[in-house]
Amino acid sequence: MKGDAFDPNCPTRLILDRIGDKWSVLVVLSLTDGPRRFTQLRDMIGGVTPKVLTQTLRTMERDGLLVRTVYAEVPPRVEYALTPLGLSLRKPIKAVADWAEANVGAVITAREAHG
């Protein structure tokens, strides 16, 4: 099945919402080097509340972008890792993040000039 992002009834828009969400983008970038625990993700991302991070991780897991693995230890250890589908997002998301970092000055200048 191929979607049509310009069709208002196409589920493609739901996917664009997910991968366009800043927290999802930062989770993908945080997991590019391998699995991480919740606190590692929270510390790496910065500025995200535990509640929002939990919601983001659950939604990404539901959408097949990451997998949550619980290890039978005391205390239990939980890790999050990208699935093959999630891994396929690394390159486009990294390109957008690189563009944002390279052009943040120009965007801020334009905003200030706009008033």
Side-chain angles (χ1 to χ4, degrees):
M1 172 181 162
K2 184 170 183 197
D4 178 1
F6 290 99
D7 177 353
N9 298 313
C10 183
T12 299
R13 290 192 176 193
L14 298 173
I15 296 167
L16 290 173
D17 282 344
R18 172 62 31 228
I19 62 174
D21 171 68
K22 72 177 173 184
W23 301 121
S24 298
V25 167
L26 293 171
V27 167
V28 169
L29 292 172
S30 297
L31 293 175
T32 57
D33 294 330
R36 298 206 187 276
R37 296 177 75 167
F38 183 89
T39 53
Q40 292 173 309
L41 285 170
R42 187 192 65 213
D43 293 347
M44 189 174 217
I45 292 170
V48 63
T49 65
K51 178 182 176 181
V52 170
L53 181 56
T54 297
Q55 291 170 338
T56 301
L57 293 170
R58 286 181 181 161
T59 302
M60 292 178 72
E61 182 180 17
R62 180 202 66 204
D63 291 347
L65 300 175
L66 62 80
V67 62
R68 178 180 184 264
T69 304
V70 180
Y71 296 91
E73 300 174 356
V74 178
R77 180 170 52 104
V78 178
E79 288 185 342
Y80 298 89
L82 294 173
T83 63
L85 184 61
L87 287 168
S88 72
L89 280 172
R90 287 186 306 182
K91 189 173 181 179
I93 285 179
K94 178 81 168 96
V96 170
D98 288 347
W99 181 91
E101 289 173 351
N103 292 287
V104 65
V107 171
I108 289 172
T109 299
R111 283 185 179 185
E112 290 170 350
H114 191 264

